[in-house]
Amino acid sequence: MDITYLSIVLCLLLMAIPACMLYLYDESLLMKSAGAVCRMLVQVAAGGLITYFVIIRDDYRISLLWTVLLAALAAFGAVRKGRLPVGQYVPVLLGMLVSVMLVGFYLLIAVARVPNALQASLLLPVMAVLIGHSAGVEARGVNAWLQARVDFKEQYDYHRGNGASRLKALEPCIRRALQKGIAPSLANIKAMGLFALPLLFCAMLLAGAAPLQALAWTVYLCIGCLAASVLALVVTLWLSDRLSSSSNQSSK
């Protein structure tokens, strides 16, 4: 498949269809859509070019560094999207890195059994998909966790005063964080068989993967996303709780 400037221009011409309809019926939405599309094109072009050169270089140190940078950007987006305090950035980032590295290398080494898990063309796509999914879960889950710490403060103090362990007293907060963070992802699974999975499957077919390999990787990545996001949220909550405990003790 050849990619030329002409093919890119012809593809962009398809934007004339939604642009004409929005121009006729909702000009305000047209301006918002134009801005969103421009930002998307800039982000895709910048990220795609950097990823291209990283894959061409195929140096595991550069690949891991680029993965860390992607996680750092995703953590910043999660903090901003979830309207979290700035102090939550480090727990979110560390939780994301721990979960993505563990689940990503598990998929590459134990599940897919690729000959070289540090190969850039394999490592970067897997890590990027896991990071992208985990960021959304962290934004929702940590926001719910912080709100629950306020809502259940009296209940927490009551259980702690009656000898309950810290983990036992925090159960309502953890439960709400998991519900708010994971529930939307679980709800989307119902529609994944009709929309997300076929899109990912077809994208891998267009990339040259064999049909059975594309099907297997589609399943691997979907399950990996769910596992990585839950693990990221749990690690982040633990780090956030440790950070909160340390700050309370120092203030005393």
Side-chain angles (χ1 to χ4, degrees):
M1 182 175 61
D2 294 330
I3 300 176
T4 63
Y5 291 112
L6 177 60
S7 64
I8 296 175
V9 172
L10 291 175
C11 179
L12 292 176
L13 284 177
L14 290 174
M15 292 300 300
I17 298 175
C20 290
M21 296 304 298
L22 293 176
Y23 176 77
L24 292 173
Y25 296 102
D26 195 335
E27 292 187 16
S28 61
L29 185 57
L30 173 61
M31 299 303 297
K32 294 179 181 178
S33 301
V37 171
C38 290
R39 287 194 299 271
M40 180 271 293
L41 292 175
V42 171
Q43 292 170 356
V44 170
L49 288 175
I50 295 175
T51 303
Y52 170 77
F53 288 114
V54 172
I55 291 176
I56 293 298
R57 185 68 181 270
D58 199 13
D59 187 330
Y60 75 93
R61 292 166 296 185
I62 298 177
S63 299
L64 291 176
L65 177 61
W66 181 231
T67 300
V68 173
L69 290 176
L70 286 177
L73 292 174
F76 175 78
V79 170
R80 184 177 179 182
K81 181 180 179 180
R83 298 179 180 178
L84 307 177
V86 178
Q88 294 298 317
Y89 176 79
V90 173
V92 169
L93 174 58
L94 293 179
M96 193 179 301
L97 282 175
V98 170
S99 65
V100 166
M101 291 295 180
L102 289 176
V103 175
F105 280 112
Y106 177 82
L107 287 176
L108 290 168
I109 298 173
V111 178
R113 297 183 182 181
V114 299
N116 182 12
L118 292 174
Q119 182 179 336
S121 59
L122 296 173
L123 178 67
L124 293 181
V126 171
M127 297 300 181
V129 171
L130 297 181
I131 288 172
H133 189 272
S134 299
V137 173
E138 293 237 63
R140 298 188 298 267
V142 177
N143 184 286
W145 158 266
L146 296 176
Q147 184 61 45
R149 290 300 302 270
V150 176
D151 295 342
F152 295 109
K153 185 179 185 305
E154 293 183 0
Q155 183 177 338
Y156 170 82
D157 293 337
Y158 172 79
H159 286 299
R160 289 288 285 167
N162 284 275
S165 65
R166 186 175 181 83
L167 182 61
K168 183 68 176 179
L170 287 172
E171 277 188 2
C173 303
I174 299 173
R175 186 180 301 111
R176 179 182 289 184
L178 289 172
Q179 289 173 345
K180 297 294 184 180
I182 307 300
S185 298
L186 295 177
N188 291 335
I189 291 179
K190 298 178 182 178
M192 289 181 86
L194 292 176
F195 303 104
L197 291 183
L199 287 174
L200 181 57
F201 177 70
C202 293
M204 298 187 69
L205 289 177
L206 289 172
L212 290 180
Q213 288 181 335
L215 179 61
W217 270 109
T218 301
V219 176
Y220 295 164
L221 290 175
C222 289
I223 295 176
C225 283
L226 185 59
S229 59
V230 173
L231 180 59
L233 182 57
V234 170
V235 174
T236 299
L237 296 184
W238 182 82
L239 290 172
S240 178
D241 180 60
R242 294 297 92 191
L243 185 65
S244 175
S245 300
S246 300
S247 62
N248 290 336
Q249 291 177 358
S250 62
S251 63
K252 291 180 182 181

